[in-house]
Amino acid sequence: MTLKRAAAFAALFLFTLTGFAQAQDVTLTSPDGQVELSGTLLGFDGEFYRLETVYGELTVDGSGVNCEGPACPNLQDFVAELSISGSATMGSVLMPALIEGFALRHGFRTERTSIGPTRFTYSLFNESSGKLAAEFQFRVTNTDEGFADLLANEADIVMALREIRPGERQRAREAGMGDMTQANRSRVLSLDAVVPIVSASNPVRSISPRQLAEVFAGRITNWVDLGGPDAPIDLHMLGADTGLGQAVEDQVLKPVNLSLSDTVLHHARGADLAQTVSKHPFAIGIASYAETGNAQVLTLKGTCGFSLQAARRTIKTEDYPLTAPMFLYIPARRLPKVGRDFLGYTRGPSAQILIRRAGFVDQAPEEVSIADQGNRFANAITTAGPEISLEELQRMTRTLTGMARLTTSFRFEAGSIRLDAQSRSNVQQLARALEIGKYDARRILFVGFSDGDGAAKANRDIALRRAEAVQRAVIAAAETANLDRLSLGVDAFGEALPMACDDSEWGRQANRRVEVWVR
């Protein structure tokens, strides 16, 4: 085969990646026998071969070639394989529940096989024929290990409790896996939160974000400084290499330039952490909202009187400031059809029900009537400064009366106009709802709010621009929606409806948001 002909043949291939298989040499030959390509078989998804060749890594349509070699798959009894690695919090409960639900809906029977302390496989059999159709191979460790497996080409999907780091993102791009921050490369599967926990016998019931940071930095060492007994504070959290441990560093300590104390006792599992804290009256831990066990969750308080309790609704809206989205990262490779079907299933309403039943926070939008938000409006009146006039509060009330707030909110990365990870996922979610006509014949209003740092008029202008930016992003993502069937609008009320105190970065971050209201 000449180099020119080989180059022409290679140009017909899609430069994407596929499934996961044992690497052996094979030869792919065109039906007329005029063109052949040899290389190491990296994977076959039932439709496409993935080869490492002298031309680089190529994906070849299996319908147009014949495969020769010991690694060539059995096309009639093909078994799809999907390798999933990362967070044990997600892999131990949430993902198995979703696979069971997916199998039930698509006519598969499941069989789980444990391979070791960190590995297990879900086998899916066709109910009608009894044949093995797919294997989901799990390695449950932590987020760092998941990304390491991805970069080593040993995982098709990463389960992560944090966003991909810049270094990991760069290495993935260099390996041909695409930009892992794009909408089609990452998605928020469900929501979690970082919550402080104590024993039910501990009299302390609230703590400020600043105090929480100072406790875990070793600045506050006695419960008496938190309104509790005169006793030393014992610190507990998950390992620093876990996604939740890294979320503590990013969301609790870094905003106030503090470092984690070396007296912290680290735990391998969230259940062990919660159990230990619940049994020791002088212990405090930072845990996953989904894994608090019998421990008491502390309310986050502010000096201005606001308090924020971690609950399903406050986590879903990100009103609770220490939210922790649970991600799936998918490289730019073609997954087997059963894998693509599974990922599609995770976005649907059936999956959202399973996510709630598993103890996590789903992403199904809910409507909260204005009657259920009396405390928010009471706080707005109580905390209104001299720059927030009665007329502005009345305008806000008139505008929103008769509408309901969606739990789908939009917030921005600290010091940036870029939407945060959960909000980028919310753009896609709301866009899909518009495409299927969920809000046809209704009015949707994107309402911008700000923190109170600066002049009220400038804050309202900034909030309005953010609301307009969110509306543009949703419209751009809703490519097939008929926008003539509904009414879209924007408004802003600046600092008129705060969620938290403005005396901390956590509070200001919670106050900078775009809400979605519907009528």
Side-chain angles (χ1 to χ4, degrees), residues 237-255:
M237 61 177 281
L238 291 180
D241 58 348
T242 64
L244 191 74
Q246 291 160 350
V248 171
E249 293 271 4
D250 293 343
Q251 298 188 47
V252 177
L253 296 168
K254 283 185 180 179

Side-chain angles (χ1 to χ4, degrees), residues 186-513:
S186 68
R187 65 177 61 180
V188 176
L189 180 65
S190 64
L191 305 173
D192 202 353
V194 174
V195 295
I197 58 172
V198 296
S199 168
S201 62
N202 191 315
V204 174
R205 288 294 176 264
S206 63
I207 191 171
S208 75
R210 177 79 196 199
Q211 288 174 327
L212 183 63
E214 291 183 345
V215 165
F216 276 83
R219 299 281 186 90
I220 297 177
T221 59
N222 195 294
W223 281 106
V224 73
D225 295 322
L226 301 175
D230 184 6
I233 301 174
D234 296 326
L235 306 177
H236 299 263
M237 61 177 281
L238 291 180
D241 58 348
T242 64
L244 191 74
Q246 291 160 350
V248 171
E249 293 271 4
D250 293 343
Q251 298 188 47
V252 177
L253 296 168
K254 283 185 180 179
V256 288
N257 298 315
L258 293 176
S259 299
L260 190 66
S261 169
D262 57 9
T263 63
V264 174
L265 179 62
H266 293 282
H267 298 262
R269 298 173 62 247
D272 296 338
L273 164 64
Q275 185 178 36
T276 299
V277 171
S278 66
K279 292 180 178 180
H280 293 80
F282 303 132
I284 185 171
I286 299 183
S288 157
Y289 171 77
E291 295 183 305
T292 57
N294 294 322
Q296 174 71 42
V297 178
L298 298 183
T299 298
L300 293 185
K301 66 180 181 179
T303 56
C304 66
F306 279 93
S307 62
L308 293 167
Q309 179 71 46
R312 188 175 64 86
R313 184 171 288 175
T314 60
I315 293 171
K316 186 178 287 191
T317 58
E318 286 190 277
D319 292 345
Y320 182 77
L322 303 180
T323 56
M326 310 181 86
F327 298 92
L328 292 182
Y329 281 91
I330 308 103
R333 69 177 50 153
R334 182 183 175 87
L335 297 179
K337 184 177 184 302
V338 68
R340 303 195 300 272
D341 289 344
F342 171 72
L343 291 175
Y345 168 81
T346 62
R347 293 186 184 274
S350 297
Q352 303 309 308
I353 294 172
L354 288 175
I355 289 170
R356 288 198 298 272
R357 288 178 177 172
F360 298 92
V361 179
D362 65 283
Q363 293 195 91
E366 302 172 33
E367 296 184 15
V368 186
S369 71
I370 196 168
D372 293 334
Q373 302 180 63
N375 287 338
R376 290 217 301 161
F377 284 82
N379 287 336
I381 295 171
T382 302
T383 61
E387 292 188 293
I388 300 300
S389 65
L390 175 61
E391 289 77 12
E392 183 68 357
L393 291 174
Q394 290 174 334
R395 186 179 76 87
M396 179 177 67
T397 303
R398 284 194 305 270
T399 301
L400 301 180
T401 295
M403 304 188 79
R405 180 194 178 189
L406 286 187
T407 51
T408 303
S409 300
F410 300 90
R411 283 183 166 81
F412 302 82
E413 294 179 348
S416 172
I417 61 172
R418 185 173 187 251
L419 290 170
D420 66 17
Q422 182 176 333
S423 297
R424 295 195 298 273
S425 180
N426 287 347
V427 167
Q428 302 300 320
Q429 177 196 85
L430 184 54
R432 287 194 301 273
L434 296 183
E435 288 178 331
I436 65 175
K438 182 174 181 179
Y439 297 104
D440 283 0
R442 301 188 70 181
R443 174 166 175 74
I444 295 180
L445 188 65
F446 296 91
V447 184
F449 295 96
S450 72
D451 59 42
D453 190 12
K457 183 180 183 305
N459 286 337
R460 182 185 177 279
D461 292 342
I462 292 172
L464 183 62
R465 289 198 295 272
R466 285 176 174 160
E468 292 169 340
V470 170
Q471 180 183 236
R472 287 194 299 270
V474 171
I475 290 174
E479 296 178 355
T480 64
N482 186 346
L483 301 181
D484 294 333
R485 295 178 177 175
L486 70 157
S487 171
L488 295 174
V490 297
D491 208 332
F493 301 102
E495 58 194 74
L497 192 60
M499 296 299 308
C501 304
D502 275 328
D503 61 352
S504 70
E505 180 54 37
W506 297 281
R508 291 189 291 272
Q509 183 75 4
N511 289 334
R512 295 190 292 264
R513 67 198 186 278

Side-chain angles (χ1 to χ4, degrees), residues 57-135:
E57 192 169 296
L58 306 175
T59 296
V60 185
D61 187 344
S63 65
V65 295
N66 298 316
C67 183
E68 298 178 1
C72 289
N74 184 333
L75 301 185
Q76 291 185 338
D77 295 318
F78 169 71
V79 177
E81 295 183 351
L82 204 66
S83 178
I84 305 171
S85 179
S87 162
T89 300
M90 297 173 66
S92 299
V93 177
L94 180 57
M95 289 292 281
L98 289 172
I99 288 176
E100 294 277 3
F102 167 76
L104 184 64
R105 175 166 287 268
H106 288 78
F108 294 114
R109 174 177 60 83
T110 61
E111 183 178 294
R112 176 168 172 162
T113 303
S114 295
I115 303 173
T118 63
R119 293 181 182 271
F120 61 88
T121 296
Y122 260 96
S123 300
L124 273 60
F125 299 86
N126 280 310
E127 284 280 16
S128 56
S129 66
K131 289 185 177 180
L132 178 63
E135 287 189 342

